[in-house]
Amino acid sequence: MTIGLRWLDWRPVAGTLGLALLLQGCAHRAPVASESPGAALPVAWNAPLPAGVAVLPQADDLARWWERFGDPQLSALVAQALQAHPSALSAQAALRQARAQARVQAAGMLPDVSLSGSAQRSRSGGQTGNSFQVGLDAGWEPDLFGRLDAGVQASEADARAAQASLEQVHVSLSAEVALQYISLRSLQQRLAIAQRNLETQQQTLQITDWRVQAGLATSLVAEQARAAAEQTAAQLPQLQASLAQARHALAVLTGQAPAALDAALAAPQAVPQPSQALALDIPADTLRQRPDVRVAQERVQAALARVSQADAARYPSLRLSGSLGLRALTLGALGDSASLVHSLLGSVAVPLFDGGATQAQVQVQQAALEQARQAYQLAVLTALKEVEDALVALQGEAARLAHLQQAAQAAGNAALLAQQRYASGLIDFASVLETQRTQLATQDALATSQANLGSNHVRLFKALGGGWQ
């Protein structure tokens, strides 16, 4: 139901505006809750740190964690990705959109004023008349029960969520670039290992051919040596293809064509490893700095505000509008002999019966709030799991790497001794073949483990919420 009143005298304006302001100050408002949804948090991480890894103070900055690897090329690739990748640019546009929408909502609480003008020509009884009018039109809806204010709070929470979403894109992008870069350097190292072992096996094959020609070995031994060399050679095309794919992935992550980084990344380098110091906060601090958790938290705040907004729609609303203008028979007379025209309209809308739509809308927003709460709980649990998983993986890989280093050294010594003794005719070829296979497998596993250790550091930095400032 809407009740409207119109005056041709501006004297009631002051009293009406005063009444509206009084109602706005005294009216019941549906409260907008601001508390964060609760979640049970552990007081410390369960997984222990690897031996020799120190924990930095809580204030340590994780914003540029990739610089801990001491690789300028990695840092340059991450910086390029954060500036040029389409997902980062899209998140920036989404943030601008959310902030603009928040300004739109805030503007709805202010009066609106517009300038209008009209010209009319009429003919009656053989006589023609003109009428010109210019004026200002204004309107204002006092926020009696907090509906407009709740809408502003919801849009502001959406804007904060968009900001956190942009930060989450930065976290994901920086981690993905680092993982691809480590994979690239690891593939280069594994390719070099396979090539070195192939050279050794080809030398062994040449020695075997000489022994066959001298009648000191059978053709079976020669074929076994040739099969081992060909098996190693068969690994090279696969490693080279994976290496090219890693370069392509890095180029796309930096917003470039797939082949744009082929020349820049052609020279092999060592697999980067971070310093042994880690910035490991308590779980609560980690959750506060993780953007995805803050996105879920802001979604809860927006849902809370929309519940209040839907609840406030059940109460009456007041709309004040008025106009002030000049009217004259000629266009030139508007400046001197025009007559003053003014009006004020006050309308009150009181919801009486809508078939339960307003109450249903409250229930809709309450259900959306519950979904947002559960999404927040899931984000918290996922964050805790990712940190714990990263710590466990880091500890396990560090222990595995230590054993593989010892194994690779022993396998290299065994392969060298076996080749020397075989050349001297002291052992058969089966021993040489076995030691060479062991050496290749152990060295390849060592290179893979070194890459995994670096990758696990990256995943830990990501799980801790590092990568944004």
Side-chain angles (χ1 to χ4, degrees), residues 71 117 273 302 336 354 384 392 449:
D71 192 317
Q273 293 292 338
D336 46 22
D354 59 2
L384 296 175
V392 170
S449 180

Side-chain angles (χ1 to χ4, degrees), residues 397 400-401 404 440-450 452:
E397 198 63 47
R400 178 171 179 263
L401 179 62
L404 285 174
L440 175 59
T442 306
Q443 290 179 347
D444 187 78
L446 176 61
T448 302
S449 180
Q450 290 173 337
N452 290 341

Side-chain angles (χ1 to χ4, degrees), residues 65-92:
W65 53 262
W66 49 87
E67 294 182 351
R68 297 179 180 277
F69 286 82
D71 192 317
Q73 194 164 31
L74 172 59
S75 299
L77 290 172
V78 172
Q80 176 70 14
L82 297 182
Q83 293 176 1
H85 194 268
S87 64
L89 299 178
S90 176
Q92 292 174 8

Side-chain angles (χ1 to χ4, degrees), residues 133-445:
Q133 184 173 338
V134 63
L136 294 174
D137 299 317
W140 179 48
E141 180 181 352
D143 193 18
L144 300 181
F145 298 98
R147 180 177 60 85
L148 299 179
D149 182 62
V152 171
Q153 293 188 40
S155 61
E156 289 176 347
D158 287 338
R160 293 192 298 270
Q163 173 69 48
S165 296
L166 173 60
E167 295 161 358
Q168 177 60 22
V169 170
H170 286 181
V171 170
S172 299
L173 266 180
S174 59
E176 186 61 27
V177 170
L179 290 174
Q180 286 292 343
Y181 185 80
I182 290 174
S183 175
L184 172 82
R185 296 310 183 192
S186 174
L187 287 167
Q188 289 177 337
Q189 188 175 15
R190 292 175 62 197
L191 179 61
I193 290 172
Q195 290 171 339
R196 288 196 302 268
N197 279 268
L198 178 60
E199 292 176 0
T200 301
Q201 291 172 348
Q202 287 174 342
Q203 293 174 2
T204 303
L205 175 61
Q206 187 176 18
I207 294 175
T208 303
D209 289 338
W210 291 341
R211 292 176 62 84
V212 170
Q213 294 174 5
L216 301 176
T218 65
S219 58
L220 173 62
V221 174
E223 292 302 320
Q224 288 177 331
R226 186 171 290 106
E230 292 299 331
Q231 286 179 347
T232 303
Q235 298 181 17
L236 301 185
Q238 182 180 6
L239 291 172
Q240 291 167 345
S242 299
L243 190 58
Q245 292 171 352
R247 289 196 301 265
H248 298 166
L250 279 172
V252 172
L253 283 171
T254 55
Q256 304 178 71
L261 296 178
D262 285 357
L265 298 175
Q269 292 185 19
V271 177
Q273 293 292 338
S275 63
Q276 292 298 304
L278 294 176
L280 192 62
D281 292 334
I282 62 174
D285 291 331
T286 298
L287 296 182
R288 276 192 289 268
Q289 67 190 12
R290 276 186 60 121
D292 58 336
V293 175
R294 292 189 296 108
V295 168
Q297 186 175 12
E298 294 299 343
R299 297 300 184 204
V300 173
Q301 297 301 319
L304 282 166
R306 290 190 171 94
V307 170
S308 298
Q309 186 180 27
D311 183 68
R314 300 186 295 115
Y315 300 102
S317 62
L318 174 64
R319 175 74 179 177
L320 299 176
S321 59
S323 62
L324 177 65
L326 299 175
R327 178 182 297 171
L329 297 179
T330 63
L331 188 61
L334 286 175
D336 46 22
S337 60
S339 60
L340 181 65
V341 179
H342 51 84
S343 66
L344 176 67
L345 175 65
S347 61
V348 178
V350 181
L352 293 181
F353 178 76
D354 59 2
T358 303
Q359 184 60 35
Q361 185 62 30
V362 174
Q363 296 172 356
V364 167
Q365 298 302 330
Q366 289 174 339
L369 172 60
E370 181 59 25
Q371 294 178 54
R373 287 184 181 275
Q374 296 306 319
Y376 175 81
Q377 296 286 350
L378 180 60
V380 169
L381 295 176
T382 301
L384 296 175
K385 175 182 177 298
E386 288 181 356
V387 176
E388 294 284 4
D389 288 349
L391 288 172
V392 170
L394 190 61
Q395 181 193 30
E397 198 63 47
R400 178 171 179 263
L401 179 62
H403 292 298
L404 285 174
Q405 288 172 337
Q406 298 294 329
Q409 183 178 1
N413 295 334
L416 180 61
L417 292 173
Q419 188 174 13
Q420 292 174 348
R421 293 196 174 194
Y422 176 69
S424 302
L426 300 178
I427 60 174
D428 60 5
F429 181 72
S431 300
V432 177
L433 184 62
E434 181 63 26
T435 56
Q436 289 181 345
R437 286 175 176 173
T438 302
Q439 181 185 32
L440 175 59
T442 306
Q443 290 179 347
D444 187 78

